[in-house]
């Protein structure tokens, strides 16, 4: 990744001179214009040259020239224009541009404690194959995880009727603390050991470039590329699964932090000297609302002791059934978790002022977690003097959305390379 380092700028050797932020050289924060043209067309589905020029505020001549290069590289194709087909004076239908879907394919994989999911998408971002792989609810060694991911990839390729060489890259979403630029899992609840070079090991096995990120980040990418966040500049995604995850989009971009390990909402403290979290510290939000927190309480209050065959999932379902059946202890467990979640969400709103907070993940089936009383509590804990509170959206999308988000990690990277003009058409 080509990151701008302020230290590279010699002018800083005389800090007493000048003022104002030290910005990267012009243009390096935005993608090159050729990629902007491509991204613009992909985000609209199809668009005419003149509309691209108007939208990007550049001359039609430059757009025509960049589009010719993208057509020659096999990344775009000409299609009929949007709307009713009128003919021009010369009798030709108006021509729009669209992404050439078969220009390339990438795979996305979400690695999880119970089921790994995967999807292959084409260059227009449309899914062409999917697969799942069930696994034991265990923390595992990286060798086994690499085996499982590769098996899943093979299943997807079989379903798509493709060979591995048809893929350009693989994106992987992994729970835990992930150093995305270096592809290293600093810590993951599904992996034994610390500082594991997941991208490098997966890439060596798969024979493909691999990009790894925290799973909440890939889910946020899915919201940004396909979901309710497509047109929003600033929004937050909060996920509840085995742990509590968060992704933040600022100015239409995923924000990861200086070392790419930010947004650990689950480990923000909601109680001094509180409940023990699996990170080893006390009072983390996650220690009150995640699966293992609910299961811990369930085993005490309901005498639901985990036997050898019970997974966390089975325990949770049992707890949820009892709550629905009117068991007051079971209800109080969800209610308490919901109140802590309200504290966490209010903190997110107070800190970031997002347009929308999207609550996502399979646990959103447990509607106690976002009942009106939870949202009321969240609003009560948010500073509200004249402030506009964000919308809260509940999104119980299935696991494949995470995989699709992981695929966008790979698709973004491949798009950047290919629109830079380094590689010929597939
Ligand atoms: Zn913690």
């Amino acid at each position: 990744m080509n990151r701008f380092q302020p230290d590279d700028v010699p002018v800083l050797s005389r800090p007493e001179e000048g003022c104002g932020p030290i910005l990267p050289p012009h243009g390096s924060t935005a993608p090159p214009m050729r990629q902007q043209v491509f991204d613009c067309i992909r985000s609209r589905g199809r668009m005419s040259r003149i509309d691209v020029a108007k939208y990007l505020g550049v001359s039609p001549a430059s757009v025509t020239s960049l589009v010719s290069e993208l057509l020659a590289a096999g990344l775009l194709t000409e299609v009929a224009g949007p709307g009713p087909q009128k003919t021009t004076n010369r009798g030709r239908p108006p021509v729009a541009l669209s992404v050439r879907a078969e220009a390339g394919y990438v795979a996305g994989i979400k690695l999880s404690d119970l089921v790994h999911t995967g999807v292959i998408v084409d260059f227009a971002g449309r899914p062409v194959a999917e697969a799942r792989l069930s696994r034991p609810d265990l923390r595992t060694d990286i060798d086994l995880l690499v085996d499982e991911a590769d098996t899943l990839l093979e299943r997807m390729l079989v379903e798509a009727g493709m060979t591995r060489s048809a893929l350009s890259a693989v994106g992987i979403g992994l729970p835990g603390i992930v150093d995305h630029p270096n592809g290293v899992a600093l810590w993951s609840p599904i992996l034994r050991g610390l500082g594991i070079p997941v991208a490098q090991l997966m890439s060596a096995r798969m024979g493909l470039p691999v990009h790894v990120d925290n799973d909440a980040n890939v889910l946020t990418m899915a919201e940004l590329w396909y979901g309710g966040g497509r047109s929003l500049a600033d929004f937050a995604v909060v996920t509840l699964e085995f742990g509590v995850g968060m992704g933040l989009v600022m100015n239409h971009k995923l924000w990861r932090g200086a070392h790419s390990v930010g947004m650990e909402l689950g480990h923000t403290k909601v109680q001094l000297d509180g409940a023990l979290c699996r990170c080893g510290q006390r009072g983390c939000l996650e220690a009150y609302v995640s699966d293992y927190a609910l299961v811990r309480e369930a085993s005490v209050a309901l005498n639901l002791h985990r036997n050898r065959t019970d997974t966390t999932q089975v325990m949770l379902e049992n707890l949820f059934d009892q709550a629905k059946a009117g068991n007051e202890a079971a209800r109080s467990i969800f209610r308490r978790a919901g109140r802590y979640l309200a504290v966490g969400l209010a903190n997110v709103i107070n800190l970031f002022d997002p347009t929308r907070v999207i609550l996502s993940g399979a646990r959103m089936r447990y509607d106690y977690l976002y009942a009106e009383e939870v949202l009321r509590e969240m609003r009560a804990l948010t500073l509200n003097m004249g402030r506009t509170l964000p919308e809260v959206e509940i999104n119980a999308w299935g696991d494949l959305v995470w995989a699709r988000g992981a695929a966008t990690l790979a698709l973004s990277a491949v798009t950047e390379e290919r629109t830079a003009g380094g590689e010929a058409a597939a």
Side-chain angles (χ1 to χ4, degrees), residues 43 75 159 182 220 256 258 306 334 371:
S43 70
L75 300 178
E159 201 206 299
N182 295 307
T220 306
R256 292 187 174 92
R306 181 192 278 235
F334 281 107

Side-chain angles (χ1 to χ4, degrees), residues 168-250:
S168 302
V170 178
I172 293 180
L174 183 73
I177 302 175
V178 180
D179 171 353
H180 164 67
N182 295 307
V184 173
L186 301 176
W187 172 83
S188 171
I190 64 168
L191 267 178
R192 289 199 190 96
L194 299 173
I196 296 169
V198 175
Q200 186 196 325
L201 295 168
M202 293 281 182
S203 178
R205 171 68 64 87
M206 293 172 173
L208 290 163
V210 172
H211 307 269
V212 181
D213 205 344
N214 165 271
D215 57 357
N217 279 349
V218 304
L219 182 69
T220 306
M221 289 286 276
E223 293 285 359
L224 186 60
W225 277 58
Y226 305 105
R230 284 189 68 202
S231 56
L232 299 180
D234 305 284
F235 66 93
V237 176
V238 173
T239 68
L240 272 103
E241 296 266 306
F242 190 73
V244 178
M246 177 177 166
L248 184 71
V249 167
M250 288 168 82

Side-chain angles (χ1 to χ4, degrees), residues 254-335:
L254 186 67
W255 190 84
R256 292 187 174 92
H259 309 98
S260 107
V261 295
M263 296 299 111
E264 284 296 337
L265 176 66
H267 302 282
T268 57
K269 306 301 180 273
V270 292
Q271 183 80 58
L272 203 60
D273 297 329
L276 192 60
C277 177
R278 62 185 170 148
C279 73
Q281 300 186 356
R282 287 190 175 275
C284 298
L285 177 62
E286 195 170 293
Y288 294 91
V289 306
S290 65
D291 288 7
Y292 67 88
L294 297 177
V295 165
R296 180 168 60 193
E297 293 226 312
S299 60
V300 176
L302 305 180
N303 209 20
L304 286 178
H305 288 298
R306 181 192 278 235
N307 65 42
R308 216 181 286 170
T309 54
D310 273 2
T311 60
T312 302
Q313 193 60 36
V314 170
M315 296 273 285
L316 271 181
E317 288 298 327
N318 196 339
L319 180 65
F320 189 50
D321 288 345
Q322 298 216 29
K324 275 191 299 189
N327 181 316
E328 198 40 49
R331 284 187 168 183
S332 81
I333 290 172
F334 281 107
R335 208 156 40 223

